[in-house]
Structure formats: C-alpha cells, structure tokens
C-alpha cells in the first residue's frame, strides 16, 4: 500500500486584515415609502433602518468584491499572489455558473488560486471564515481570502412591503492566515430545513424563463421573507447558538469585548442581546441603521464600522453570528485584526 503525504498546516489561524466597500448611493427611507404605502417612522420602528446603500450599474458584485479585497490585502500586509484560495459568499451573483470567485481572483492578480462561491445567504460570511480557518490549519492554503458580497437591490421587489425597505448592497473581505495563537474559534453551524420557506427566492428560474416568459424578458426572481416567524426564530434560537459558540471557544460572556451579529433587523439584534444577557461592557454592532441588510456582507461591514468608530480594537475578542435563508446559521469567536 502506498503512503500518502498528508498536508501540513499552521497550528492556528486568525483574521489578518479586513476590507469593505460601501456603494456610493445613499437611499433614505423617503425614497422607498411611496411604493409600499409606508412611512419613515414605520420603517424605523419595524427595522431600525434610516438609510441603505444601493449599487450603481458600475458597482457590480465583482467590482465591489475586488475593492474590498484590495483593502483587506493591504491591511493584512500580503500580496494577492500569496492568496491560495478565494471563497465568495453571495446569493446575488446572477449566473448559476461559473462562480464569480475565479474572475475576482484573476482581477486581483492571484497566482491561479483556487476559487469558488458558496450560497449560505446571510450566514455566508461566517461559513466562509470557518472554511478559510480550516484550510489554513489543514494545509490546503496558507492564506485564504474570504468575501461576503451582495447586490440585493437587483433581486428586491421594491413594491413588496415586507422586504423593499430592508435589503441593500455592499461587500466585505477578510484575509485568513497562520497564527501562533488561536484567532478563529470553532464554528458552531447548522441548518433548520423545517423553516426552509421563511426566506427564499420567490420565483423558480424555470418559471421565469418557462413557457410564459421569453429569455431576456426582464423578469427577475425576487426575495421574499416571512418577517414575524423569522423574528421569533432568530431572537431565541440564535441566542442559544451564540452561547454554544462561546462555550466551544472557551470564552465567557464576561470576556467578550464585541458582539457582531448579522445586520438583519435592529429588533432582532436587540432581542438576541437581551436573550444572551450580554454584560454592559460588550459593544454591539448596529450598522444596519445606515447600511441596511446586506446579507453575506453585513458582518464585515458592521465590524469595519465599529473599528473606524473605536468600538472595536485590534486584539479584541469578538463573537460573530449570522443566520439566513435555509435557514442556515453559523457563529464563531474571533480576534479582531
């Protein structure tokens, strides 16, 4: 029997650098209320959102990803040629195949890095961080670039009262690399397929281009969400997952400095914090008020804002947690880069 060489990875992994891209167009609630017969007050009460960012035609999924990635690489102090794998979490790259990751990897100038997309909706970034950490420690890549990016404005029905005011666009990227000490804790992840239809694409692609619609007709599948059931599920289930992630990392709530949840809804964020009984000193990311819900991009965008505003500092201990369509979820404790 032949002996197979086993890959040798790093003892530990950590986030070396973080980068983001926020689209230039700022969209206040006043621009979306008429189409959904709503008001600024109702939207803020319901979600906490005051404004959101929508991408221009030039701000594509690829363009935003490359911009965020270049910032992350610079902050990490490495070149694109040192990246061994690119993982892109998105649900708004509108080609089923090929993935957008290979195009991003090439534009960045990687040396033929492995590149692929994952579809875990709003939980995608946490999934990608887990994959990147495992690759670094497993030896399949020394540096992994993980990206969460969305152009949800492309797949949002602006007449849907339940979703038109929520979703937005943006990108965040992180470089995962080797470390002498643990910087990414064990991931706690899973899915609840019994809730599969709570957040979903409304139309099947076959229905869009089937017998009643010609290809190129301009009909676009849209996202739908059952808000109240999602709120009830997330507010309580995610608090349990958060505690499991803390326990897996061997970190108590008292030792936590920063809590960065997926920016789904301000009410959900607040309900999770209450359920977790977070100490008062723990600083909480609330980027959704000005950015909207950017799905896979929301956690890096929120963490970057906290770092810019001094609410998160390099070396802080942070808990990341997200949930999304499926319902897929993931959480891990990380050291802020």
């Amino acid at each position: 029997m032949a002996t197979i060489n086993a890959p040798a990875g790093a003892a530990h992994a950590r986030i070396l650098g973080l980068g983001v891209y926020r689209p230039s167009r700022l969209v206040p609630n006043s621009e979306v209320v008429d189409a959904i017969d709503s008001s600024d007050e109702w939207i803020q009460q319901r979600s906490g959102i005051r404004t959101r960012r929508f991408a221009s035609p030039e701000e594509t999924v690829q363009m935003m990803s490359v911009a965020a990635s270049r910032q992350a690489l610079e902050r990490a102090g490495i070149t694109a040629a040192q990246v061994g794998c690119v993982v892109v979490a998105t649900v708004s790259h509108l080609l089923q195949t090929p993935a957008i990751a290979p195009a991003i990897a090439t534009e960045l100038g990687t040396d033929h890095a492995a590149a692929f997309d994952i579809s875990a909706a709003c939980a995608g970034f946490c999934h990608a961080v887990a994959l990147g950490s495992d690759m670094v420690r497993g030896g399949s890549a020394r540096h992994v670039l993980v990206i969460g990016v969305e152009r949800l404005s492309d797949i949002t029905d602006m007449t849907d009262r339940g979703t038109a005011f929520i979703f937005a666009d943006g990108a965040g990227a992180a470089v995962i690399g080797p470390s002498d000490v643990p910087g990414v804790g064990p991931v706690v992840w899973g899915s609840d397929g019994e809730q599969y239809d709570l957040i979903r694409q409304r139309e099947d692609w076959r229905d869009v281009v089937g017998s009643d619609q010609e290809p190129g007709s301009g009909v676009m599948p849209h996202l739908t969400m059952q808000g109240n059931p999602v709120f009830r599920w997330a507010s309580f289930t995610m608090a349990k997952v958060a505690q499991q992630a803390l326990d897996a990392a061997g970190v108590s709530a008292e030792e936590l400095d920063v809590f960065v949840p997926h920016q789904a809804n301000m009410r959900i964020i607040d309900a999770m914090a209450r359920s977790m009984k977070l100490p008062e000193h723990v600083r909480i990311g609330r980027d959704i008020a000005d950015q909207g819900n950017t799905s896979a991009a929301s956690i890096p965008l929120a963490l970057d804002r906290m770092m810019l505003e001094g609410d998160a500092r390099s070396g802080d201990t942070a808990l990341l947690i997200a949930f999304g369509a499926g319902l897929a979820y993931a959480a891990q404790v990380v050291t802020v880069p």
Side-chain angles (χ1 to χ4, degrees):
M1 180 182 296
T3 300
I4 300 174
N5 292 333
H12 307 291
R14 67 184 177 96
I15 299 175
L16 303 177
L18 187 73
V20 301
Y21 183 86
R22 297 180 189 269
S24 55
R25 184 184 170 205
L26 191 67
V27 180
N29 287 337
S30 58
E31 286 194 31
V32 302
V33 293
D34 289 345
I36 57 174
D37 189 26
S38 185
S39 67
D40 173 69
E41 293 76 15
W42 184 86
I43 291 174
Q44 290 200 46
Q45 182 182 38
R46 181 90 171 178
S47 66
I49 298 173
R50 298 187 294 258
T51 61
R52 75 279 296 140
R53 300 264 180 172
F54 283 173
S56 67
E58 295 76 23
E59 292 170 315
T60 64
V61 166
Q62 182 172 334
M63 176 266 169
M64 293 190 292
S65 297
V66 168
S69 297
R70 285 177 173 155
Q71 187 178 65
L73 291 167
E74 181 180 357
R75 290 174 172 175
I78 71 166
T79 67
Q82 294 174 267
V83 172
C85 185
V86 177
V87 183
V88 178
T90 187
V91 297
S92 50
H93 169 54
L94 298 181
L95 290 180
Q96 184 70 31
T97 192
I100 194 63
I104 293 169
T106 295
E107 184 174 348
L108 286 170
T110 66
D111 186 16
H112 299 91
F116 57 90
D117 295 356
I118 61 171
S119 177
C122 305
F125 184 77
C126 288
H127 279 67
V129 168
L131 292 174
S133 174
D134 287 351
M135 288 181 201
V136 171
R137 293 184 297 107
S140 53
R142 184 164 177 81
H143 295 97
V144 179
L145 176 65
V146 301
I147 303 166
V149 58
E150 303 291 5
R151 266 184 59 119
L152 296 179
S153 58
D154 286 337
I155 53 176
T156 299
D157 180 353
M158 298 309 296
T159 66
D160 181 353
R161 185 177 172 85
T163 60
F165 61 93
I166 295 174
F167 296 123
D169 306 333
V175 176
I176 312 294
S179 174
D180 294 332
V181 295
V184 178
V187 66
V188 174
W189 56 3
S191 63
D192 185 355
E194 292 182 359
Q195 319 298 329
Y196 184 79
D197 288 325
L198 293 189
I199 309 170
R200 62 166 296 149
Q201 181 178 302
R202 186 170 62 198
E203 299 88 353
D204 189 295
W205 285 110
R206 292 170 297 181
D207 296 332
V208 172
V209 296
S211 58
D212 295 333
Q213 296 290 344
E214 292 299 321
S217 65
V219 175
M220 177 69 73
H222 294 116
L223 292 174
T224 62
M225 180 170 61
Q226 299 179 41
N228 288 332
V230 169
F231 175 83
R232 290 193 296 269
W233 183 90
S235 298
F236 301 101
T237 303
M238 286 297 93
K240 297 176 183 178
V241 173
Q243 186 59 55
Q244 291 170 4
L246 289 172
D247 292 342
V251 174
S252 70
E254 286 293 335
E255 296 173 294
L256 199 62
D257 299 305
V258 178
F259 177 47
V260 193
H262 163 51
Q263 304 294 292
N265 181 302
M266 194 74 79
R267 293 167 60 221
I268 292 177
I269 293 170
D270 291 342
M272 288 174 57
R274 288 195 300 271
S275 296
M276 293 170 61
K277 298 181 173 59
L278 288 178
E280 289 188 8
H281 73 266
V282 177
R283 301 174 296 278
I284 302 174
R286 291 189 172 89
D287 189 50
I288 189 171
D290 300 311
Q291 178 67 41
N293 179 342
T294 55
S295 186
S298 79
I299 284 181
L301 285 166
L303 179 55
D304 181 75
R305 181 184 292 274
M306 294 183 77
M307 294 173 70
L308 288 174
E309 296 179 352
D311 291 325
R313 295 176 290 273
S314 179
D316 278 354
T317 301
L319 172 62
L320 315 182
I321 186 168
F323 64 93
L327 293 171
Y329 57 87
Q332 63 261 102
V333 175
V334 304
T335 301
V336 175

